[in-house]
């Protein structure tokens, strides 16, 4: 008996697991719930309840056709409906994912644009900073160059002044230093021979006048032939000294010229004052 009951419940359980039977049972209850409640919960006697249910709830549509149609529809069309729902849900999910992906891509593109613009800004900023630094360096170098130019100009002026002072000292030494050179007998003999040869030249006729002017005024007499001056310079008897500051030219006797001038002066005789006065007293 126990095994029979177990087998019955097991078979019933297996049948209930069948989707058609399960759906038919659910749909039948749904369409005939009034007759079920009346049958089990009415106050009437069981005979009266059965009679009442038989008379009022005996329609074939609600007892057979509607539950069967619903169960068949449930078994046959529910999977397709579920598939449609799942497809729609999947499509919605994919659409949402695509929308999310598009949004993320849009965000990334926006971030890329922002990063690109920020990079350009940083490059321009770095370039402006570099240009500013270069301009500052150029300004510093320009200022340094101007300072160096000023220093060079100052040094040039100082050098010019030193040159002027040097020329002044050289001229002063040349003009004021006494003739302390001593000649040996051999040199004196050579100079004497050269002096005798000089006296035979045409230039010697101008030597008295030029030597006097140089000794007294350190200059050449006016209207002197430049060739004569060049010959005296060439023979080493005179030399020219240029004063850059006063822009004047001096002429000095060289050591050789001084020797010649000394011999020339000593060779000249001087008329005494008495003889000069006597010559003035002559009637002719």
């Amino acid at each position: 008996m126990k095994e029979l009951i177990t087998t019955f419940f097991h078979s019933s359980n297996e049948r209930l697991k069948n989707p058609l039977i399960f759906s038919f049972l659910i749909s039948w209850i749904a369409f005939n719930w009034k007759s079920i409640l009346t049958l089990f919960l009415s106050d009437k006697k069981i005979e009266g309840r059965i009679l009442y249910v038989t008379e009022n709830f005996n329609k074939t549509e609600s007892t057979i056709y509607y539950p069967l149609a619903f169960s068949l529809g449930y078994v046959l069309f529910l999977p397709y409906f579920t598939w449609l729902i799942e497809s729609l849900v999947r499509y919605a999910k994919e659409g949402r994912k695509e929308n999310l992906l598009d949004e993320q891509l849009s965000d990334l593109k926006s971030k890329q644009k922002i990063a690109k613009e920020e990079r350009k800004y940083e490059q321009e900023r770095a370039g402006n900073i570099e240009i500013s630094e270069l301009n500052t360096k150029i300004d510093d170098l320009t200022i340094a160059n101007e300072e160096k130019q000023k220093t060079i100009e100052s040094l040039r002026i100082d050098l010019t002044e030193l040159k002027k002072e040097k020329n002044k000292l050289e001229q002063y030494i040349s003009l004021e230093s006494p003739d302390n050179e001593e000649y040996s007998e051999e040199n004196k003999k050579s100079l004497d021979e050269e002096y005798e040869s000089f006296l035979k030249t045409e230039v010697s006729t101008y030597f008295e006048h030029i030597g006097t002017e140089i000794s007294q005024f350190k200059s050449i007499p006016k209207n002197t032939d430049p060739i004569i001056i060049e010959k005296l310079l060439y023979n080493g008897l005179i030399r020219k000294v240029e004063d850059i500051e006063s822009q004047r030219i001096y002429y000095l006797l060289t050591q050789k010229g001084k020797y010649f001038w000394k011999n020339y002066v000593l060779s000249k005789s001087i008329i005494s004052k008495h003889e000069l006065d006597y010559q003035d007293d002559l009637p002719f």
Side-chain angles (χ1 to χ4, degrees), residues 16-38:
L16 288 174
K17 288 182 178 180
N18 189 297
L20 180 61
I21 296 175
F22 179 76
S23 60
F24 180 81
L25 179 62
I26 295 301
S27 60
W28 188 89
I29 293 172
F31 283 103
N32 297 281
W33 63 274
K34 293 180 179 180
S35 60
I36 294 172
L37 292 178
T38 301

Side-chain angles (χ1 to χ4, degrees), residues 252-263:
L252 302 174
L253 291 170
T254 63
Q255 296 297 329
K256 179 180 176 180
K258 290 178 182 179
Y259 187 83
F260 281 18
W261 179 246
K262 179 180 178 181
N263 289 344

Side-chain angles (χ1 to χ4, degrees), residues 209-221:
H209 188 43
I210 293 174
T212 302
E213 189 75 15
I214 291 176
S215 299
Q216 294 181 3
F217 305 106
K218 298 178 178 61
S219 62
I220 298 294

Side-chain angles (χ1 to χ4, degrees), residues 5 47 89 91 114 122 146 160 182 228 232 236-237 248:
I5 294 172
E47 293 83 1
V89 171
Y91 179 77
I114 294 173
E122 292 297 331
E146 290 177 354
T160 304
E182 295 292 337
I228 296 173
L232 291 174
L237 298 178
R248 295 184 57 188

Side-chain angles (χ1 to χ4, degrees), residues 14-240:
E14 291 294 332
R15 290 186 180 90
L16 288 174
K17 288 182 178 180
N18 189 297
L20 180 61
I21 296 175
F22 179 76
S23 60
F24 180 81
L25 179 62
I26 295 301
S27 60
W28 188 89
I29 293 172
F31 283 103
N32 297 281
W33 63 274
K34 293 180 179 180
S35 60
I36 294 172
L37 292 178
T38 301
L39 181 65
F40 289 100
L41 299 178
S42 179
D43 293 335
K44 296 179 181 181
K45 292 183 179 181
I46 186 63
E47 293 83 1
R49 283 182 273 176
I50 293 173
L51 181 62
Y52 180 79
V53 169
T54 303
E55 292 177 354
N56 295 284
F57 302 102
N58 59 354
K59 294 181 180 181
T60 308
E61 290 84 355
S62 61
T63 56
I64 300 297
Y65 296 142
Y66 290 161
L68 181 60
F70 179 79
S71 61
L72 289 175
Y74 175 79
V75 173
L76 295 177
F77 296 105
L78 181 62
Y80 293 98
F81 180 75
T82 303
W83 174 73
L84 178 61
I85 296 300
E86 290 176 352
S87 298
L88 293 175
V89 171
R90 183 173 64 254
Y91 179 77
K93 288 182 178 179
E94 290 177 355
R96 289 181 61 191
K97 288 182 180 179
E98 288 181 359
N99 291 335
L100 181 61
L101 181 60
D102 291 338
E103 184 178 355
Q104 291 177 349
L105 290 175
S106 179
D107 291 339
L108 289 176
K109 289 180 180 179
S110 299
K111 291 180 180 179
Q112 287 177 352
K113 290 181 179 179
I114 294 173
K116 186 177 181 180
E117 295 299 326
E118 288 179 349
R119 185 167 60 253
K120 287 182 179 180
Y121 170 75
E122 292 297 331
Q123 290 176 352
E124 291 180 359
R125 181 171 176 271
N128 292 331
I129 293 173
E130 186 176 356
I131 291 172
S132 177
E133 291 177 353
L134 289 176
N135 289 332
T136 303
K137 290 181 180 179
I138 290 172
D139 293 338
D140 294 339
L141 291 175
T142 301
I143 295 172
N145 186 45
E146 290 177 354
E147 294 295 330
K148 287 183 180 179
Q149 291 296 329
K150 292 180 180 178
T151 303
I152 292 171
E153 187 65 25
S154 177
L155 291 174
R156 185 181 290 113
I157 294 172
D158 293 341
L159 180 61
T160 304
E161 294 296 327
L162 289 174
K163 285 182 178 179
K164 290 180 180 179
E165 294 295 328
K166 178 176 177 291
N167 291 330
K168 286 183 180 179
L169 291 174
E170 288 179 349
Q171 292 167 9
Y172 177 78
I173 292 171
S174 299
L175 296 173
E176 302 297 334
S177 61
D179 184 13
N180 294 324
E181 183 175 354
E182 295 292 337
Y183 293 103
S184 63
E185 293 297 328
E186 184 178 355
N187 289 336
K188 288 181 179 181
K189 183 178 180 182
S190 175
L191 288 172
D192 290 337
E193 292 177 354
E194 190 173 351
Y195 174 71
E196 293 298 330
S197 300
F198 172 72
L199 293 177
K200 297 177 182 179
T201 63
E202 295 179 356
V203 180
S204 64
T205 58
Y206 299 92
F207 190 56
E208 180 177 352
H209 188 43
I210 293 174
T212 302
E213 189 75 15
I214 291 176
S215 299
Q216 294 181 3
F217 305 106
K218 298 178 178 61
S219 62
I220 298 294
K222 295 180 179 180
N223 300 323
T224 302
D225 192 346
I227 296 299
I228 296 173
I229 299 175
E230 292 299 325
K231 284 188 176 184
L232 291 174
L233 289 170
Y234 181 76
N235 290 325
L237 298 178
I238 64 174
R239 64 190 180 90
K240 183 169 62 174

